mmCIF file with all atom_site columns, all heavy atoms in Angstrom:
data_model
loop_
_atom_site.group_PDB
_atom_site.id
_atom_site.type_symbol
_atom_site.label_atom_id
_atom_site.label_alt_id
_atom_site.label_comp_id
_atom_site.label_asym_id
_atom_site.label_entity_id
_atom_site.label_seq_id
_atom_site.pdbx_PDB_ins_code
_atom_site.Cartn_x
_atom_site.Cartn_y
_atom_site.Cartn_z
_atom_site.occupancy
_atom_site.B_iso_or_equiv
_atom_site.pdbx_formal_charge
_atom_site.auth_seq_id
_atom_site.auth_comp_id
_atom_site.auth_asym_id
_atom_site.auth_atom_id
_atom_site.pdbx_PDB_model_num
ATOM 1   N N   . ALA Q 1 163 ? -31.492 -69.999 -94.596 1.00 58.00 ? 482 ALA Q N   1
ATOM 2   C CA  . ALA Q 1 163 ? -31.449 -69.658 -93.196 1.00 58.00 ? 482 ALA Q CA  1
ATOM 3   C C   . ALA Q 1 163 ? -29.960 -69.627 -92.732 1.00 58.00 ? 482 ALA Q C   1
ATOM 4   O O   . ALA Q 1 163 ? -29.622 -68.900 -91.736 1.00 58.00 ? 482 ALA Q O   1
ATOM 5   C CB  . ALA Q 1 163 ? -32.286 -70.552 -92.396 1.00 58.00 ? 482 ALA Q CB  1
ATOM 6   N N   . ASP Q 1 164 ? -29.157 -70.386 -93.282 1.00 59.00 ? 483 ASP Q N   1
ATOM 7   C CA  . ASP Q 1 164 ? -27.711 -70.532 -92.791 1.00 59.00 ? 483 ASP Q CA  1
ATOM 8   C C   . ASP Q 1 164 ? -27.009 -69.162 -92.994 1.00 59.00 ? 483 ASP Q C   1
ATOM 9   O O   . ASP Q 1 164 ? -26.047 -68.879 -92.265 1.00 59.00 ? 483 ASP Q O   1
ATOM 10  C CB  . ASP Q 1 164 ? -27.002 -71.585 -93.612 1.00 59.00 ? 483 ASP Q CB  1
ATOM 11  C CG  . ASP Q 1 164 ? -27.524 -72.985 -93.286 1.00 59.00 ? 483 ASP Q CG  1
ATOM 12  O OD1 . ASP Q 1 164 ? -28.138 -73.092 -92.204 1.00 59.00 ? 483 ASP Q OD1 1
ATOM 13  O OD2 . ASP Q 1 164 ? -27.322 -73.855 -94.090 1.00 59.00 ? 483 ASP Q OD2 1
ATOM 14  N N   . GLU Q 1 165 ? -27.471 -68.370 -93.916 1.00 59.00 ? 484 GLU Q N   1
ATOM 15  C CA  . GLU Q 1 165 ? -26.781 -67.024 -94.112 1.00 59.00 ? 484 GLU Q CA  1
ATOM 16  C C   . GLU Q 1 165 ? -27.083 -66.092 -92.988 1.00 59.00 ? 484 GLU Q C   1
ATOM 17  O O   . GLU Q 1 165 ? -26.466 -64.985 -92.964 1.00 59.00 ? 484 GLU Q O   1
ATOM 18  C CB  . GLU Q 1 165 ? -27.220 -66.479 -95.538 1.00 59.00 ? 484 GLU Q CB  1
ATOM 19  C CG  . GLU Q 1 165 ? -26.798 -67.313 -96.643 1.00 59.00 ? 484 GLU Q CG  1
ATOM 20  C CD  . GLU Q 1 165 ? -27.120 -66.705 -97.935 1.00 59.00 ? 484 GLU Q CD  1
ATOM 21  O OE1 . GLU Q 1 165 ? -26.960 -65.395 -98.028 1.00 59.00 ? 484 GLU Q OE1 1
ATOM 22  O OE2 . GLU Q 1 165 ? -27.598 -67.284 -98.869 1.00 59.00 ? 484 GLU Q OE2 1
ATOM 23  N N   . PHE Q 1 166 ? -28.120 -66.406 -92.206 1.00 60.00 ? 485 PHE Q N   1
ATOM 24  C CA  . PHE Q 1 166 ? -28.423 -65.473 -91.056 1.00 60.00 ? 485 PHE Q CA  1
ATOM 25  C C   . PHE Q 1 166 ? -27.599 -65.857 -89.738 1.00 60.00 ? 485 PHE Q C   1
ATOM 26  O O   . PHE Q 1 166 ? -27.780 -65.291 -88.666 1.00 60.00 ? 485 PHE Q O   1
ATOM 27  C CB  . PHE Q 1 166 ? -29.927 -65.534 -90.709 1.00 60.00 ? 485 PHE Q CB  1
ATOM 28  C CG  . PHE Q 1 166 ? -30.708 -64.677 -91.609 1.00 60.00 ? 485 PHE Q CG  1
ATOM 29  C CD1 . PHE Q 1 166 ? -31.150 -65.219 -92.802 1.00 60.00 ? 485 PHE Q CD1 1
ATOM 30  C CD2 . PHE Q 1 166 ? -30.902 -63.330 -91.265 1.00 60.00 ? 485 PHE Q CD2 1
ATOM 31  C CE1 . PHE Q 1 166 ? -31.943 -64.394 -93.635 1.00 60.00 ? 485 PHE Q CE1 1
ATOM 32  C CE2 . PHE Q 1 166 ? -31.655 -62.552 -92.128 1.00 60.00 ? 485 PHE Q CE2 1
ATOM 33  C CZ  . PHE Q 1 166 ? -32.194 -63.067 -93.391 1.00 60.00 ? 485 PHE Q CZ  1
ATOM 34  N N   . ALA Q 1 167 ? -26.730 -66.830 -89.767 1.00 65.00 ? 486 ALA Q N   1
ATOM 35  C CA  . ALA Q 1 167 ? -25.908 -67.184 -88.542 1.00 65.00 ? 486 ALA Q CA  1
ATOM 36  C C   . ALA Q 1 167 ? -24.813 -66.156 -88.296 1.00 65.00 ? 486 ALA Q C   1
ATOM 37  O O   . ALA Q 1 167 ? -24.189 -65.676 -89.260 1.00 65.00 ? 486 ALA Q O   1
ATOM 38  C CB  . ALA Q 1 167 ? -25.354 -68.596 -88.722 1.00 65.00 ? 486 ALA Q CB  1
ATOM 39  N N   . PHE Q 1 168 ? -24.625 -65.811 -87.055 1.00 70.00 ? 487 PHE Q N   1
ATOM 40  C CA  . PHE Q 1 168 ? -23.593 -64.747 -86.645 1.00 70.00 ? 487 PHE Q CA  1
ATOM 41  C C   . PHE Q 1 168 ? -22.264 -65.424 -86.681 1.00 70.00 ? 487 PHE Q C   1
ATOM 42  O O   . PHE Q 1 168 ? -22.066 -66.527 -86.110 1.00 70.00 ? 487 PHE Q O   1
ATOM 43  C CB  . PHE Q 1 168 ? -23.890 -64.136 -85.301 1.00 70.00 ? 487 PHE Q CB  1
ATOM 44  C CG  . PHE Q 1 168 ? -25.201 -63.358 -85.284 1.00 70.00 ? 487 PHE Q CG  1
ATOM 45  C CD1 . PHE Q 1 168 ? -26.266 -63.834 -84.578 1.00 70.00 ? 487 PHE Q CD1 1
ATOM 46  C CD2 . PHE Q 1 168 ? -25.277 -62.164 -85.937 1.00 70.00 ? 487 PHE Q CD2 1
ATOM 47  C CE1 . PHE Q 1 168 ? -27.508 -63.147 -84.538 1.00 70.00 ? 487 PHE Q CE1 1
ATOM 48  C CE2 . PHE Q 1 168 ? -26.513 -61.505 -85.985 1.00 70.00 ? 487 PHE Q CE2 1
ATOM 49  C CZ  . PHE Q 1 168 ? -27.623 -61.927 -85.263 1.00 70.00 ? 487 PHE Q CZ  1
ATOM 50  N N   . PRO Q 1 169 ? -21.204 -64.717 -87.010 1.00 77.00 ? 488 PRO Q N   1
ATOM 51  C CA  . PRO Q 1 169 ? -19.887 -65.314 -87.181 1.00 77.00 ? 488 PRO Q CA  1
ATOM 52  C C   . PRO Q 1 169 ? -19.290 -65.389 -85.605 1.00 77.00 ? 488 PRO Q C   1
ATOM 53  O O   . PRO Q 1 169 ? -19.601 -64.607 -84.783 1.00 77.00 ? 488 PRO Q O   1
ATOM 54  C CB  . PRO Q 1 169 ? -19.035 -64.269 -87.974 1.00 77.00 ? 488 PRO Q CB  1
ATOM 55  C CG  . PRO Q 1 169 ? -19.739 -62.983 -87.717 1.00 77.00 ? 488 PRO Q CG  1
ATOM 56  C CD  . PRO Q 1 169 ? -21.269 -63.293 -87.650 1.00 77.00 ? 488 PRO Q CD  1
ATOM 57  N N   . LEU Q 1 170 ? -18.514 -66.416 -85.473 1.00 83.00 ? 489 LEU Q N   1
ATOM 58  C CA  . LEU Q 1 170 ? -17.905 -66.656 -84.209 1.00 83.00 ? 489 LEU Q CA  1
ATOM 59  C C   . LEU Q 1 170 ? -16.440 -66.257 -84.232 1.00 83.00 ? 489 LEU Q C   1
ATOM 60  O O   . LEU Q 1 170 ? -15.658 -66.924 -84.934 1.00 83.00 ? 489 LEU Q O   1
ATOM 61  C CB  . LEU Q 1 170 ? -18.078 -68.186 -83.838 1.00 83.00 ? 489 LEU Q CB  1
ATOM 62  C CG  . LEU Q 1 170 ? -17.612 -68.572 -82.385 1.00 83.00 ? 489 LEU Q CG  1
ATOM 63  C CD1 . LEU Q 1 170 ? -18.356 -67.790 -81.373 1.00 83.00 ? 489 LEU Q CD1 1
ATOM 64  C CD2 . LEU Q 1 170 ? -17.711 -70.055 -82.171 1.00 83.00 ? 489 LEU Q CD2 1
ATOM 65  N N   . VAL Q 1 171 ? -16.046 -65.234 -83.464 1.00 86.00 ? 490 VAL Q N   1
ATOM 66  C CA  . VAL Q 1 171 ? -14.632 -64.810 -83.440 1.00 86.00 ? 490 VAL Q CA  1
ATOM 67  C C   . VAL Q 1 171 ? -13.955 -65.377 -82.233 1.00 86.00 ? 490 VAL Q C   1
ATOM 68  O O   . VAL Q 1 171 ? -14.342 -64.984 -81.057 1.00 86.00 ? 490 VAL Q O   1
ATOM 69  C CB  . VAL Q 1 171 ? -14.605 -63.212 -83.530 1.00 86.00 ? 490 VAL Q CB  1
ATOM 70  C CG1 . VAL Q 1 171 ? -13.069 -62.752 -83.532 1.00 86.00 ? 490 VAL Q CG1 1
ATOM 71  C CG2 . VAL Q 1 171 ? -15.448 -62.645 -84.670 1.00 86.00 ? 490 VAL Q CG2 1
ATOM 72  N N   . LEU Q 1 172 ? -13.090 -66.181 -82.436 1.00 89.00 ? 491 LEU Q N   1
ATOM 73  C CA  . LEU Q 1 172 ? -12.320 -66.902 -81.329 1.00 89.00 ? 491 LEU Q CA  1
ATOM 74  C C   . LEU Q 1 172 ? -11.198 -66.045 -80.699 1.00 89.00 ? 491 LEU Q C   1
ATOM 75  O O   . LEU Q 1 172 ? -10.870 -66.220 -79.517 1.00 89.00 ? 491 LEU Q O   1
ATOM 76  C CB  . LEU Q 1 172 ? -11.849 -68.204 -81.793 1.00 89.00 ? 491 LEU Q CB  1
ATOM 77  C CG  . LEU Q 1 172 ? -12.900 -69.154 -82.333 1.00 89.00 ? 491 LEU Q CG  1
ATOM 78  C CD1 . LEU Q 1 172 ? -12.302 -70.525 -82.826 1.00 89.00 ? 491 LEU Q CD1 1
ATOM 79  C CD2 . LEU Q 1 172 ? -14.048 -69.443 -81.416 1.00 89.00 ? 491 LEU Q CD2 1
ATOM 80  N N   . ASN Q 1 173 ? -10.560 -65.253 -81.474 1.00 91.00 ? 492 ASN Q N   1
ATOM 81  C CA  . ASN Q 1 173 ? -9.410  -64.481 -81.043 1.00 91.00 ? 492 ASN Q CA  1
ATOM 82  C C   . ASN Q 1 173 ? -9.926  -63.057 -80.736 1.00 91.00 ? 492 ASN Q C   1
ATOM 83  O O   . ASN Q 1 173 ? -10.311 -62.327 -81.641 1.00 91.00 ? 492 ASN Q O   1
ATOM 84  C CB  . ASN Q 1 173 ? -8.271  -64.427 -82.034 1.00 91.00 ? 492 ASN Q CB  1
ATOM 85  C CG  . ASN Q 1 173 ? -7.600  -65.819 -82.193 1.00 91.00 ? 492 ASN Q CG  1
ATOM 86  O OD1 . ASN Q 1 173 ? -7.322  -66.499 -81.242 1.00 91.00 ? 492 ASN Q OD1 1
ATOM 87  N ND2 . ASN Q 1 173 ? -7.504  -66.181 -83.413 1.00 91.00 ? 492 ASN Q ND2 1
ATOM 88  N N   . ASN Q 1 174 ? -9.857  -62.601 -79.404 1.00 93.00 ? 493 ASN Q N   1
ATOM 89  C CA  . ASN Q 1 174 ? -10.331 -61.300 -79.048 1.00 93.00 ? 493 ASN Q CA  1
ATOM 90  C C   . ASN Q 1 174 ? -9.171  -60.438 -78.569 1.00 93.00 ? 493 ASN Q C   1
ATOM 91  O O   . ASN Q 1 174 ? -8.438  -60.799 -77.644 1.00 93.00 ? 493 ASN Q O   1
ATOM 92  C CB  . ASN Q 1 174 ? -11.376 -61.428 -77.892 1.00 93.00 ? 493 ASN Q CB  1
ATOM 93  C CG  . ASN Q 1 174 ? -12.766 -61.916 -78.350 1.00 93.00 ? 493 ASN Q CG  1
ATOM 94  O OD1 . ASN Q 1 174 ? -13.756 -61.159 -78.358 1.00 93.00 ? 493 ASN Q OD1 1
ATOM 95  N ND2 . ASN Q 1 174 ? -12.718 -63.160 -78.730 1.00 93.00 ? 493 ASN Q ND2 1
ATOM 96  N N   . TRP Q 1 175 ? -9.010  -59.260 -79.116 1.00 94.00 ? 494 TRP Q N   1
ATOM 97  C CA  . TRP Q 1 175 ? -7.994  -58.298 -78.800 1.00 94.00 ? 494 TRP Q CA  1
ATOM 98  C C   . TRP Q 1 175 ? -8.601  -57.084 -78.327 1.00 94.00 ? 494 TRP Q C   1
ATOM 99  O O   . TRP Q 1 175 ? -9.655  -56.617 -78.787 1.00 94.00 ? 494 TRP Q O   1
ATOM 100 C CB  . TRP Q 1 175 ? -7.154  -58.076 -80.018 1.00 94.00 ? 494 TRP Q CB  1
ATOM 101 C CG  . TRP Q 1 175 ? -6.489  -59.218 -80.691 1.00 94.00 ? 494 TRP Q CG  1
ATOM 102 C CD1 . TRP Q 1 175 ? -7.133  -60.113 -81.593 1.00 94.00 ? 494 TRP Q CD1 1
ATOM 103 C CD2 . TRP Q 1 175 ? -5.230  -59.722 -80.438 1.00 94.00 ? 494 TRP Q CD2 1
ATOM 104 N NE1 . TRP Q 1 175 ? -6.272  -61.126 -81.969 1.00 94.00 ? 494 TRP Q NE1 1
ATOM 105 C CE2 . TRP Q 1 175 ? -5.117  -60.930 -81.285 1.00 94.00 ? 494 TRP Q CE2 1
ATOM 106 C CE3 . TRP Q 1 175 ? -4.130  -59.369 -79.658 1.00 94.00 ? 494 TRP Q CE3 1
ATOM 107 C CZ2 . TRP Q 1 175 ? -3.937  -61.711 -81.240 1.00 94.00 ? 494 TRP Q CZ2 1
ATOM 108 C CZ3 . TRP Q 1 175 ? -3.038  -60.136 -79.717 1.00 94.00 ? 494 TRP Q CZ3 1
ATOM 109 C CH2 . TRP Q 1 175 ? -2.929  -61.265 -80.470 1.00 94.00 ? 494 TRP Q CH2 1
ATOM 110 N N   . LEU Q 1 176 ? -7.818  -56.458 -77.301 1.00 93.00 ? 495 LEU Q N   1
ATOM 111 C CA  . LEU Q 1 176 ? -8.426  -55.275 -76.700 1.00 93.00 ? 495 LEU Q CA  1
ATOM 112 C C   . LEU Q 1 176 ? -7.296  -54.263 -76.381 1.00 93.00 ? 495 LEU Q C   1
ATOM 113 O O   . LEU Q 1 176 ? -6.285  -54.672 -75.729 1.00 93.00 ? 495 LEU Q O   1
ATOM 114 C CB  . LEU Q 1 176 ? -9.191  -55.459 -75.478 1.00 93.00 ? 495 LEU Q CB  1
ATOM 115 C CG  . LEU Q 1 176 ? -9.770  -54.292 -74.628 1.00 93.00 ? 495 LEU Q CG  1
ATOM 116 C CD1 . LEU Q 1 176 ? -10.828 -53.549 -75.458 1.00 93.00 ? 495 LEU Q CD1 1
ATOM 117 C CD2 . LEU Q 1 176 ? -10.356 -54.732 -73.279 1.00 93.00 ? 495 LEU Q CD2 1
ATOM 118 N N   . ALA Q 1 177 ? -7.480  -52.981 -76.766 1.00 95.00 ? 496 ALA Q N   1
ATOM 119 C CA  . ALA Q 1 177 ? -6.588  -51.882 -76.221 1.00 95.00 ? 496 ALA Q CA  1
ATOM 120 C C   . ALA Q 1 177 ? -7.455  -50.771 -75.752 1.00 95.00 ? 496 ALA Q C   1
ATOM 121 O O   . ALA Q 1 177 ? -8.301  -50.244 -76.574 1.00 95.00 ? 496 ALA Q O   1
ATOM 122 C CB  . ALA Q 1 177 ? -5.635  -51.455 -77.454 1.00 95.00 ? 496 ALA Q CB  1
ATOM 123 N N   . GLN Q 1 178 ? -7.339  -50.320 -74.474 1.00 94.00 ? 497 GLN Q N   1
ATOM 124 C CA  . GLN Q 1 178 ? -8.250  -49.461 -73.962 1.00 94.00 ? 497 GLN Q CA  1
ATOM 125 C C   . GLN Q 1 178 ? -7.452  -48.416 -73.077 1.00 94.00 ? 497 GLN Q C   1
ATOM 126 O O   . GLN Q 1 178 ? -6.495  -48.749 -72.347 1.00 94.00 ? 497 GLN Q O   1
ATOM 127 C CB  . GLN Q 1 178 ? -9.321  -50.185 -73.049 1.00 94.00 ? 497 GLN Q CB  1
ATOM 128 C CG  . GLN Q 1 178 ? -10.379 -49.303 -72.574 1.00 94.00 ? 497 GLN Q CG  1
ATOM 129 C CD  . GLN Q 1 178 ? -11.350 -50.069 -71.690 1.00 94.00 ? 497 GLN Q CD  1
ATOM 130 O OE1 . GLN Q 1 178 ? -11.014 -51.026 -70.972 1.00 94.00 ? 497 GLN Q OE1 1
ATOM 131 N NE2 . GLN Q 1 178 ? -12.726 -49.839 -71.986 1.00 94.00 ? 497 GLN Q NE2 1
ATOM 132 N N   . ALA Q 1 179 ? -7.870  -47.141 -73.075 1.00 95.00 ? 498 ALA Q N   1
ATOM 133 C CA  . ALA Q 1 179 ? -7.426  -46.074 -72.259 1.00 95.00 ? 498 ALA Q CA  1
ATOM 134 C C   . ALA Q 1 179 ? -8.559  -45.415 -71.542 1.00 95.00 ? 498 ALA Q C   1
ATOM 135 O O   . ALA Q 1 179 ? -9.528  -45.123 -72.108 1.00 95.00 ? 498 ALA Q O   1
ATOM 136 C CB  . ALA Q 1 179 ? -6.647  -45.070 -73.080 1.00 95.00 ? 498 ALA Q CB  1
ATOM 137 N N   . THR Q 1 180 ? -8.369  -45.268 -70.195 1.00 95.00 ? 499 THR Q N   1
ATOM 138 C CA  . THR Q 1 180 ? -9.430  -44.596 -69.392 1.00 95.00 ? 499 THR Q CA  1
ATOM 139 C C   . THR Q 1 180 ? -8.895  -43.479 -68.594 1.00 95.00 ? 499 THR Q C   1
ATOM 140 O O   . THR Q 1 180 ? -7.742  -43.405 -68.322 1.00 95.00 ? 499 THR Q O   1
ATOM 141 C CB  . THR Q 1 180 ? -10.122 -45.655 -68.412 1.00 95.00 ? 499 THR Q CB  1
ATOM 142 O OG1 . THR Q 1 180 ? -9.091  -46.090 -67.495 1.00 95.00 ? 499 THR Q OG1 1
ATOM 143 C CG2 . THR Q 1 180 ? -10.641 -46.819 -69.201 1.00 95.00 ? 499 THR Q CG2 1
ATOM 144 N N   . ILE Q 1 181 ? -9.805  -42.559 -68.262 1.00 95.00 ? 500 ILE Q N   1
ATOM 145 C CA  . ILE Q 1 181 ? -9.367  -41.366 -67.427 1.00 95.00 ? 500 ILE Q CA  1
ATOM 146 C C   . ILE Q 1 181 ? -10.474 -41.083 -66.484 1.00 95.00 ? 500 ILE Q C   1
ATOM 147 O O   . ILE Q 1 181 ? -11.708 -41.162 -66.856 1.00 95.00 ? 500 ILE Q O   1
ATOM 148 C CB  . ILE Q 1 181 ? -9.105  -40.134 -68.298 1.00 95.00 ? 500 ILE Q CB  1
ATOM 149 C CG1 . ILE Q 1 181 ? -8.593  -38.922 -67.445 1.00 95.00 ? 500 ILE Q CG1 1
ATOM 150 C CG2 . ILE Q 1 181 ? -10.284 -39.721 -69.117 1.00 95.00 ? 500 ILE Q CG2 1
ATOM 151 C CD1 . ILE Q 1 181 ? -8.136  -37.768 -68.249 1.00 95.00 ? 500 ILE Q CD1 1
ATOM 152 N N   . ALA Q 1 182 ? -10.142 -40.866 -65.245 1.00 94.00 ? 501 ALA Q N   1
ATOM 153 C CA  . ALA Q 1 182 ? -11.131 -40.506 -64.162 1.00 94.00 ? 501 ALA Q CA  1
ATOM 154 C C   . ALA Q 1 182 ? -10.652 -39.189 -63.576 1.00 94.00 ? 501 ALA Q C   1
ATOM 155 O O   . ALA Q 1 182 ? -9.580  -39.067 -63.105 1.00 94.00 ? 501 ALA Q O   1
ATOM 156 C CB  . ALA Q 1 182 ? -11.253 -41.629 -63.178 1.00 94.00 ? 501 ALA Q CB  1
ATOM 157 N N   . VAL Q 1 183 ? -11.639 -38.226 -63.374 1.00 94.00 ? 502 VAL Q N   1
ATOM 158 C CA  . VAL Q 1 183 ? -11.329 -37.014 -62.736 1.00 94.00 ? 502 VAL Q CA  1
ATOM 159 C C   . VAL Q 1 183 ? -12.178 -36.863 -61.505 1.00 94.00 ? 502 VAL Q C   1
ATOM 160 O O   . VAL Q 1 183 ? -13.365 -36.781 -61.538 1.00 94.00 ? 502 VAL Q O   1
ATOM 161 C CB  . VAL Q 1 183 ? -11.690 -35.838 -63.658 1.00 94.00 ? 502 VAL Q CB  1
ATOM 162 C CG1 . VAL Q 1 183 ? -11.302 -34.490 -62.986 1.00 94.00 ? 502 VAL Q CG1 1
ATOM 163 C CG2 . VAL Q 1 183 ? -10.974 -36.019 -64.912 1.00 94.00 ? 502 VAL Q CG2 1
ATOM 164 N N   . PRO Q 1 184 ? -11.533 -36.835 -60.255 1.00 92.00 ? 503 PRO Q N   1
ATOM 165 C CA  . PRO Q 1 184 ? -12.269 -36.743 -58.990 1.00 92.00 ? 503 PRO Q CA  1
ATOM 166 C C   . PRO Q 1 184 ? -12.605 -35.323 -58.704 1.00 92.00 ? 503 PRO Q C   1
ATOM 167 O O   . PRO Q 1 184 ? -12.029 -34.566 -57.982 1.00 92.00 ? 503 PRO Q O   1
ATOM 168 C CB  . PRO Q 1 184 ? -11.238 -37.293 -57.955 1.00 92.00 ? 503 PRO Q CB  1
ATOM 169 C CG  . PRO Q 1 184 ? -9.909  -36.912 -58.573 1.00 92.00 ? 503 PRO Q CG  1
ATOM 170 C CD  . PRO Q 1 184 ? -10.058 -37.079 -60.051 1.00 92.00 ? 503 PRO Q CD  1
ATOM 171 N N   . ILE Q 1 185 ? -13.658 -34.877 -59.315 1.00 92.00 ? 504 ILE Q N   1
ATOM 172 C CA  . ILE Q 1 185 ? -14.078 -33.450 -59.280 1.00 92.00 ? 504 ILE Q CA  1
ATOM 173 C C   . ILE Q 1 185 ? -14.302 -32.957 -57.794 1.00 92.00 ? 504 ILE Q C   1
ATOM 174 O O   . ILE Q 1 185 ? -13.734 -31.972 -57.401 1.00 92.00 ? 504 ILE Q O   1
ATOM 175 C CB  . ILE Q 1 185 ? -15.296 -33.218 -60.146 1.00 92.00 ? 504 ILE Q CB  1
ATOM 176 C CG1 . ILE Q 1 185 ? -15.083 -33.651 -61.591 1.00 92.00 ? 504 ILE Q CG1 1
ATOM 177 C CG2 . ILE Q 1 185 ? -15.778 -31.813 -60.085 1.00 92.00 ? 504 ILE Q CG2 1
ATOM 178 C CD1 . ILE Q 1 185 ? -16.309 -33.616 -62.475 1.00 92.00 ? 504 ILE Q CD1 1
ATOM 179 N N   . SER Q 1 186 ? -15.184 -33.579 -57.127 1.00 91.00 ? 505 SER Q N   1
ATOM 180 C CA  . SER Q 1 186 ? -15.469 -33.111 -55.711 1.00 91.00 ? 505 SER Q CA  1
ATOM 181 C C   . SER Q 1 186 ? -14.253 -33.389 -54.817 1.00 91.00 ? 505 SER Q C   1
ATOM 182 O O   . SER Q 1 186 ? -14.111 -32.554 -53.856 1.00 91.00 ? 505 SER Q O   1
ATOM 183 C CB  . SER Q 1 186 ? -16.646 -33.959 -55.195 1.00 91.00 ? 505 SER Q CB  1
ATOM 184 O OG  . SER Q 1 186 ? -16.392 -35.276 -55.162 1.00 91.00 ? 505 SER Q OG  1
#
Side-chain angles (χ1 to χ4, degrees):
D483 293 338
E484 297 185 40
F485 280 90
F487 297 111
L489 184 62
V490 182
L491 302 181
N492 295 313
N493 285 252
W494 303 85
L495 175 67
Q497 187 177 42
T499 61
I500 184 172
V502 182
I504 300 173
S505 61

